[in-house]
Amino acid sequence: MATTTTDTRRDIERTWNPAEIEPKWRERWQEAAIYQVDDNAPEPKWYSLTMYPYPSGTLHVGHWYAFVGPDIYARAKRMQGYKVLFPMGFDAFGLPAENAAIRHNIHPATWTYENIEQMIAQFDLMGPMIDWSRKLITSDPEYYRWNQWIFLQMLERGLAYRAAGSVWWCPNDQTVLANEQVVEGNICERCGAEVYKRDLEQWYFRITEYAEELLAELDNLDWPEPVKVMQRNWIGRSEGARLSFRLETGNELEVFTTRPDTVFGATFMVLAPEHPLVDKITTDEHREAVGAYRGEARRKSEIERQSTDEAKEKTGVFTGASAVNPVTDERIPVWIADYVLMSYGTGAIMAVPAHDERDFAFARAFDLPIRVVIQPEGEDALDPRTMEAPYTGAGVMVNSGQFDGTPTPEQLPKVIAWLNEQGRGQAEVTWRLRDWLISRQRYWGTPFPIVYCDDCGMVPVPEDQLPVELPLDAEFTPTGQSPLVNHERFLNTTCPSCAGTARRETDTMDTFVDSSWYWFRYTNPNFDDAPIDEERTKLWTPVDIYTGGIEHAILHLLYARFFAKVLRDLELVDHGEPFKTLRNQGIILAAEGTKMSKSRGTQVGPDELVAAHGADALRLHLMFLGPWEQGGPWNERGITGMERFIRRAFQVVTETAGNRMDVKADAADLRRLTHKTIARVTRDLGQFQFNTAIAALIEMTNELMKLKETEVAETTAWRDAITALTLLMAPLTPYTAEEMWEMLGNEFSVHQQDWPVYDESLAAVETVEIPVQVNGKVRERVAVAVDASEEDVTAVARETGKIPDYLQGKTLKRTIYVPGRLINFLVG
RNA sequence: GCCGGAGUGGCGGAACGGCAGACGCAGCGGACUCAAAAUCCGCCGGGGCAACCCGUGGGAGUUCGAAUCUCCCCUCCGGCACCA
């Protein structure tokens, strides 16, 4: 043992001081470029991707939470023998930059690029193993030119098109939105304003072309179930039939129904107010009322058509027209009502009030006939006059001609087959998914590579003239038109085809286009010949694990899957599913349990916390808060505990780093602890269970603290233990572990070392303490060999402590012995 | 309404159907100190002097044994919502 004086000096030298070691190693890592991954390294590849941030200016602790987890995982993976691609970039186009720019009277580009600089510095504080040599910024012309290029390929294949239609408009952001960006029926996902529908001509991507594949392949993805469910619902596949009804005016009216078995009960029809047939079929007598209702519906849609509470209140008017039910030959009235949506199915329905909630409410409101055609088995016959609710369950068909008595929906295919024979309908699948509206009437985005020529019409800009650069000197205050409309030099151009005068398309692309393929670009972000370097992409993709917030469950993740399939069909990549495995981190809320918000001042920044406790302590604190996939409210209190742990681990390693190793002492327990900890940490990190991995390391450290003054601290087992501890801590506390590694006298860098190997034989225990139960209640504990026989354990357990008292005077009916776990005596 | 997910000490949380509460925070007691901080040691679900009893949102069930599996109910969070 050292003397008191040297002890004191050593303590001063070896006190953990993050303010000193963190900047030191940060610089060293940068110099040595240890985080740059070599494409040609011999190890197997691992692509760990985490969703890139929006360059809002600052990273708060919620961002750290999202990035630290994957960083730990990627670091562990690297030590476990993979070459790991862990890149980062910035989702730099979009409305927030523009809005902030307007507010602060600064150019969006200036705002964005300054923010990116700041954020990179903050990232570096965290000590991540990001390979910045692959950084990409989507607002760089070198990046967005490839958005334009991909767009042109899609245009050529009919996957991009321009069409007029009813689209969502955000009056606050002054732009159209994709369906996916409208939440809660009519709220702008970005700004929370109420949106409404306008008829505009816009650009679309034909994502519906891939609906079937997008749905089917979900089954094969290792994704969180909620995300898969959300995508399934969003794509919304419905099986049914398309039926044709003849109108008395001679027109055919097509409807889609999931219940063709109820067609005998169709007692009226309803068209969406916007249905093109409405004008043709409305009789003069009803023209005025129909016109008024259509106007009303239109106005309502502009305010709050799909509002939830009033939704059940059914409104509508009769058109005066009649249709013929194709199976009963009855004349049935044709109405219009806004509960039928033009955007789904055919925009028209056959109404079966006895067996559909909405049709039932409508029939009751307007006193329309109700006919029961499905009868639940074993119940009283349904009576249309007294029914209080429609019957939507299974049953047998009644009042249905030759189908009477047919069980349904089991026999639904039979009904469809018959309708088909009659030439009245056929099976059909309808999707809820709509094409992706990609134009935006805003400035800070990718310009469309399209010009409109007076003579040639719409002309794509040839590939060799890309990028169509976004002019930086535009007046970008939103007006409801793209700001580029007023930029003469951008707007006026010549036709690539005839060289005559032409105007450029002035809308810009939805920012989600940028993020729909960015992970491919990381594999070679400077590649100049194509968006994707095929060779490098083949090497790295598909992404092995993708992490990010669940808020992207539909938007980004659906678009990204769509793009991967398009790029596959363009033969640029060899797979259609980009992300094999997905994990969602939980959200770190403000202390009050509400969402962290910059404007409300509830954001907690990492900088002061790093200054006070060190980045490693903050990393651990965030990861120790709870399961990573759960999140929770921010709470600063526990960070001292992580600081204590790091200090103790640091102390135990550095104080004993110079110990002799030749003492012969029984170190089996120590080895067991080491290997048990290796097993636990390895398993937990691999499952994103950082909290329990940290707990295992704390337990090991606490045990080492107890042992460090004993003779086991002077064995090779001790040396192995503190070496393993350092390596296991490396992904979690990269700075401290690096310092400890150096103190142990090893070569730089700990992050380039191999992961400690778990040896099961060393972790195995020979004896265990198992509970002795009587009738399922624990009464004693007894130490036995792990593999002891039931006879031996029974013999010992029966005599232990109070057990004889419990067995006294009772009959032993049964003994349950689970080796290594417990023994249970059942007595009576 | 429909579809997901979750309810465990004062707090965050842990627990292959097998000792509920690992680990940490906070708290309490002690050591060190002139003192405080830091650090170290001990205690820490509730009731009871104790033996022991109760305890994982509530109720039933399966099982030798349930926080864990099944059913019903309650509460909270998230998604969708007139989608025919």
Side-chain angles (χ1 to χ4, degrees):
Chain A
M1 288 300 122
T3 64
T4 319
T5 32
T6 54
D7 243 343
T8 310
R9 220 191 62 237
R10 212 162 61 170
D11 282 353
I12 290 164
E13 272 175 12
R14 291 182 178 168
T15 296
W16 175 69
N17 182 1
E20 188 193 309
I21 64 173
E22 290 183 2
K24 177 179 81 181
W25 290 118
R26 196 148 54 229
E27 204 174 305
R28 190 74 193 280
W29 293 335
Q30 232 148 53
E31 275 168 22
I34 64 163
Y35 299 134
Q36 274 183 35
V37 57
D38 178 5
D39 296 281
N40 302 315
E43 294 88 7
K45 72 97 179 177
W46 188 267
Y47 192 171
S48 252
L49 181 69
T50 190
M51 293 179 190
Y52 63 176
Y54 189 82
S56 59
T58 44
L59 293 179
H60 54 76
V61 291
H63 288 111
W64 271 52
Y65 188 78
F67 295 126
V68 166
D71 181 57
I72 293 166
Y73 181 90
R75 285 175 172 282
K77 212 74 195 169
R78 169 178 170 164
M79 293 176 77
Q80 287 159 13
Y82 292 86
K83 60 176 168 187
V84 176
L85 178 57
F86 187 63
M88 189 54 64
F90 294 90
D91 187 16
F93 268 143
L95 284 181
E98 233 173 299
N99 293 340
I102 293 159
R103 225 172 19 251
H104 301 125
N105 195 28
I106 179 178
H107 196 280
T110 314
W111 187 85
T112 301
Y113 286 85
E114 281 178 7
N115 284 350
I116 288 173
E117 283 312 302
Q118 264 185 55
M119 287 171 80
I120 290 176
Q122 277 188 314
F123 261 116
D124 285 340
L125 211 54
M126 190 173 85
M129 68 161 221
I130 294 169
D131 182 354
W132 284 120
S133 72
R134 296 170 187 262
K135 174 185 72 185
L136 66 80
I137 300 174
T138 56
S139 56
D140 287 348
E142 298 75 41
Y143 184 81
Y144 70 70
R145 73 178 281 201
W146 299 113
N147 285 345
Q148 296 172 341
W149 187 90
I150 294 168
F151 172 85
L152 290 177
Q153 315 306 310
M154 290 172 74
L155 185 67
E156 202 173 299
R157 284 160 182 77
L159 290 171
Y161 65 95
R162 194 169 163 81
S166 180
V167 299
W168 289 111
W169 177 265
C170 175
N172 182 48
D173 289 335
Q174 297 270 311
T175 181
V176 298
L177 299 171
N179 290 320
E180 289 80 3
Q181 285 169 308
V182 177
V183 296
E184 290 165 37
N186 64 340
I187 300 296
C188 171
E189 177 253 346
R190 272 273 143 74
C191 71
E194 276 188 17
V195 298
Y196 53 85
K197 289 269 182 138
R198 288 182 65 181
D199 283 320
L200 291 169
E201 197 175 297
Q202 299 289 315
W203 284 101
Y204 293 86
F205 279 148
R206 207 179 293 281
I207 191 172
T208 51
E209 182 87 11
Y210 289 85
E212 191 87 61
E213 196 186 346
L214 285 166
L215 181 71
E217 289 184 3
L218 279 174
D219 294 342
N220 306 321
L221 297 179
D222 173 20
W223 284 22
E225 199 52 35
V227 177
K228 294 209 265 188
V229 168
M230 276 192 253
Q231 291 216 353
R232 272 188 206 111
N233 292 342
W234 189 262
I235 296 166
R237 184 178 197 272
S238 276
E239 267 183 42
R242 180 185 283 252
L243 304 184
S244 189
F245 283 59
R246 173 150 297 135
L247 297 174
E248 287 194 329
T249 52
N251 306 73
E252 288 285 329
L253 179 56
E254 305 250 285
V255 300
F256 171 74
T257 176
T258 53
R259 294 293 303 273
D261 53 330
T262 63
V263 62
F264 291 88
T267 50
F268 58 99
M269 305 197 76
V270 187
L271 306 189
E274 308 91 332
H275 198 287
L277 231 46
V278 173
D279 267 338
K280 291 189 191 102
I281 63 167
T282 302
T283 60
D284 289 342
E285 193 188 343
H286 293 90
R287 201 165 293 282
E288 198 177 324
V290 165
Y293 185 80
R294 293 182 95 183
E296 178 75 8
R298 180 160 190 80
R299 207 171 50 79
K300 222 165 125 191
S301 80
E302 284 176 9
I303 308 161
E304 203 168 324
R305 171 153 172 195
Q306 309 211 348
S307 156
T308 45
D309 295 336
E310 293 128 57
K312 300 285 181 277
E313 292 294 319
K314 294 288 178 287
T315 61
V317 292
F318 180 43
T319 61
S322 294
V324 178
N325 182 317
V327 296
T328 63
D329 285 334
E330 273 177 320
R331 279 185 69 195
I332 58 174
V334 180
W335 287 61
I336 64 170
D338 65 3
Y339 82 90
V340 175
L341 308 175
M342 195 57 224
S343 56
Y344 187 77
T346 63
I349 61 158
M350 64 172 202
V352 185
H355 307 291
D356 180 276
E357 304 271 357
R358 297 144 300 178
D359 299 344
F360 183 83
F362 195 79
R364 280 280 190 260
F366 295 97
D367 205 19
L368 291 160
I370 297 173
R371 174 184 295 140
V372 170
V373 292
I374 310 288
Q375 172 63 38
E377 277 182 282
E379 286 179 35
D380 292 344
L382 293 170
D383 182 349
R385 285 163 306 187
T386 56
M387 282 170 89
E388 278 169 17
Y391 179 73
T392 56
V396 289
M397 293 172 71
V398 293
N399 298 322
S400 300
Q402 79 274 28
F403 284 106
D404 280 358
T406 306
T408 190
E410 297 102 282
Q411 300 282 334
L412 223 155
K414 234 167 92 179
V415 180
I416 296 175
W418 176 75
L419 286 165
N420 204 10
E421 266 167 43
Q422 302 287 308
R424 281 296 161 198
Q426 62 275 306
E428 184 166 274
V429 172
T430 292
W431 303 86
R432 185 183 174 280
L433 182 69
R434 305 261 72 86
D435 278 339
W436 173 13
L437 168 51
I438 55 163
S439 13
R440 297 292 180 273
Q441 288 70 47
R442 293 292 294 247
Y443 165 68
W444 191 234
T446 304
F448 282 88
I450 291 289
V451 301
Y452 299 100
C453 169
D454 296 340
D455 296 324
C456 315
M458 189 188 89
V459 182
V461 174
E463 283 174 26
D464 59 12
Q465 289 173 33
L466 299 183
V468 174
E469 280 206 45
L470 182 70
L472 292 178
D473 56 348
E475 173 54 54
F476 50 79
T477 317
T479 60
Q481 280 189 315
S482 166
L484 296 175
V485 170
N486 300 312
H487 194 284
E488 298 286 329
R489 241 176 341 99
F490 178 84
L491 180 68
N492 297 315
T493 184
T494 52
C495 172
S497 175
C498 73
T501 58
R503 288 172 308 108
R504 284 192 192 280
E505 168 66 65
T506 53
D507 282 355
T508 53
M509 291 182 202
D510 182 1
T511 325
F512 281 104
V513 175
D514 309 341
S515 52
S516 292
W517 65 281
Y518 75 109
W519 66 94
F520 289 122
R521 189 72 183 164
Y522 280 135
T523 64
N524 187 354
N526 302 315
F527 193 59
D528 216 26
D529 304 336
I532 290 165
D533 177 342
E534 279 185 63
E535 212 172 297
R536 296 271 201 100
T537 302
K538 204 166 192 137
L539 170 66
W540 288 109
T541 63
V543 168
D544 294 284
I545 190 159
Y546 195 27
T547 61
I550 194 159
E551 66 273 18
H552 292 109
I554 294 171
L555 284 154
H556 163 58
L557 288 170
L558 192 63
Y559 297 152
R561 294 180 62 221
F562 163 58
F563 255 60
K565 293 174 201 312
V566 170
L567 294 172
R568 175 201 60 200
D569 291 347
L570 291 172
E571 292 176 8
L572 285 164
V573 300
D574 59 7
H575 55 272
E577 280 300 335
F579 316 124
K580 294 198 284 196
T581 300
L582 176 74
R583 292 290 176 268
N584 294 125
Q585 77 271 4
I587 299 167
I588 291 297
L589 302 165
E592 305 79 44
T594 53
K595 214 177 159 189
M596 270 196 192
S597 142
K598 203 175 186 177
S599 55
R600 281 202 306 278
T602 52
Q603 269 191 9
V604 179
D607 303 57
E608 304 77 43
L609 292 162
V610 170
H613 309 279
D616 280 343
L618 180 55
R619 286 170 66 104
L620 283 190
H621 175 58
L622 285 165
M623 293 303 106
F624 196 64
L625 235 32
W628 185 75
E629 306 198 53
Q630 180 182 301
W634 167 251
N635 161 17
E636 195 180 320
R637 280 208 324 260
I639 196 168
T640 53
M642 295 303 108
E643 230 177 315
R644 277 177 203 147
F645 156 59
I646 296 173
R647 190 170 290 126
R648 285 158 65 86
F650 186 82
Q651 189 192 343
V652 80
V653 169
T654 57
E655 269 184 21
T656 62
N659 279 9
R660 44 195 292 215
M661 293 177 253
D662 55 353
V663 172
K664 299 272 174 287
D666 179 9
D669 283 342
L670 179 61
R671 290 218 182 272
R672 203 166 291 133
L673 172 68
T674 303
H675 284 270
K676 212 178 105 194
T677 307
I678 293 170
R680 286 173 69 185
V681 173
T682 306
R683 187 199 59 208
D684 291 352
L685 293 189
Q687 298 172 352
F688 280 76
Q689 283 160 2
F690 307 110
N691 55 336
T692 49
I694 294 166
L697 290 166
I698 294 173
E699 281 179 60
M700 177 170 177
T701 301
N702 290 346
E703 192 58 31
L704 293 180
M705 282 298 275
K706 283 186 198 148
L707 295 173
K708 78 181 164 80
E709 306 296 341
T710 69
E711 56 179 9
V712 278
E714 297 179 335
T715 61
T716 52
W718 179 267
R719 180 74 188 187
D720 293 345
I722 58 177
T723 302
L725 178 66
T726 303
L727 292 167
L728 294 175
M729 283 176 66
L732 292 142
T733 56
Y735 295 106
T736 306
E738 190 76 277
E739 183 75 13
M740 280 157 54
W741 189 249
E742 188 184 59
M743 295 289 232
L744 282 167
N746 295 308
E747 291 288 302
F748 179 82
S749 157
V750 71
H751 302 299
Q752 293 168 312
Q753 305 306 314
D754 290 340
W755 193 246
V757 177
Y758 166 61
D759 185 335
E760 201 172 350
S761 65
L762 291 174
V765 284
E766 285 132 34
T767 59
V768 278
E769 197 182 53
I770 62 165
V772 181
Q773 298 184 338
V774 178
N775 287 342
K777 284 194 191 297
V778 179
R779 298 302 180 183
E780 287 294 344
R781 287 153 227 285
V782 64
V784 297
V786 211
D787 52 356
S789 69
E790 179 164 343
E791 291 71 33
D792 292 351
V793 176
T794 304
V796 176
R798 293 185 67 122
E799 298 308 319
T800 303
K802 295 164 292 190
I803 299 299
D805 299 338
Y806 281 103
L807 302 182
Q808 183 72 40
K810 304 271 175 64
T811 331
L812 183 61
K813 292 195 290 199
R814 202 176 142 193
T815 303
I816 290 142
Y817 173 59
V818 185
R821 296 235 74 113
L822 58 23
I823 183 155
N824 187 7
F825 297 116
L826 302 181
V827 297

